[in-house]
Amino acid sequence: TSHRRIPLPAPALCCTMTAQGPIVATFATSQGEEPALIRLKKNDEWEVMKTLEPGLLGARFQGDLLIQRYEDRIVTSSLEGEHEVCHSTRGTPLDAAWNYQSRQLIAILQSQRFTEVVVTSEGSVDNTERRAS
């Protein structure tokens, strides 16, 4: 087996492997750059696929989707940029998963008093499980 070390231009949040190569979601850097989705080109240089909104708290890949967490919302977008869904939340999202088939978002939210699991279907809250923190 062989391996290469390729420096990243900004702090990385998460990565995924596609047929076109690795894609990494990065945090903003101190130089005022915006968080971004970057792709490794054939010559081992990084190119920006798209910039992400400022204020990104966290992100993760889920298949060909990127789930982005902000202080008050969760944004789900496809890597190709065809779909983007924004769900506003009450509380800080700790993690989230989006299912396009059932059109449901499952989010773990942290409010001042609770950590809760919220299942949202097409904008309506179905089920909430609260745990006092």
Side-chain angles (χ1 to χ4, degrees), residues 5-105:
R5 291 179 190 271
I6 305 160
L8 272 165
L13 278 169
C14 57
C15 67
T16 190
M17 192 61 165
T18 66
Q20 290 80 38
I23 296 177
V24 177
T26 65
F27 265 136
T29 61
S30 54
Q31 287 83 31
E33 291 174 26
E34 294 174 291
L37 210 53
I38 61 175
R39 170 187 285 150
L40 191 64
K41 296 194 294 189
K42 295 270 187 270
N43 58 359
D44 283 357
E45 284 183 13
W46 293 101
E47 71 172 340
V48 174
M49 290 174 64
K50 67 176 175 182
T51 55
L52 304 173
E53 293 177 51
L56 187 67
L57 295 178
R60 74 182 174 93
F61 288 100
Q62 179 184 306
D64 63 348
L65 300 175
L66 175 66
I67 315 284
Q68 302 148 69
R69 293 183 291 115
Y70 293 88
E71 191 71 47
D72 59 347
R73 68 196 183 284
I74 296 161
V75 179
T76 302
S77 56
S78 65
L79 298 185
E80 307 309 318
E82 302 120 30
H83 309 291
E84 182 156 300
V85 182
C86 181
H87 293 273
S88 54
T89 60
R90 292 187 302 275
T92 303
L94 301 179
D95 197 9
W98 170 253
N99 184 320
Y100 268 114
Q101 265 94 29
S102 65
R103 307 293 295 173
Q104 285 189 330
L105 179 82

Side-chain angles (χ1 to χ4, degrees), residues 103-128:
R103 307 293 295 173
Q104 285 189 330
L105 179 82
I106 300 164
I108 300 171
L109 302 179
Q110 177 70 58
S111 64
Q112 288 180 337
R113 297 178 53 221
F114 296 105
T115 300
E116 55 190 9
V117 175
V118 178
V119 180
T120 307
S121 265
E122 283 298 292
S124 66
V125 174
D126 284 349
N127 185 14
T128 302

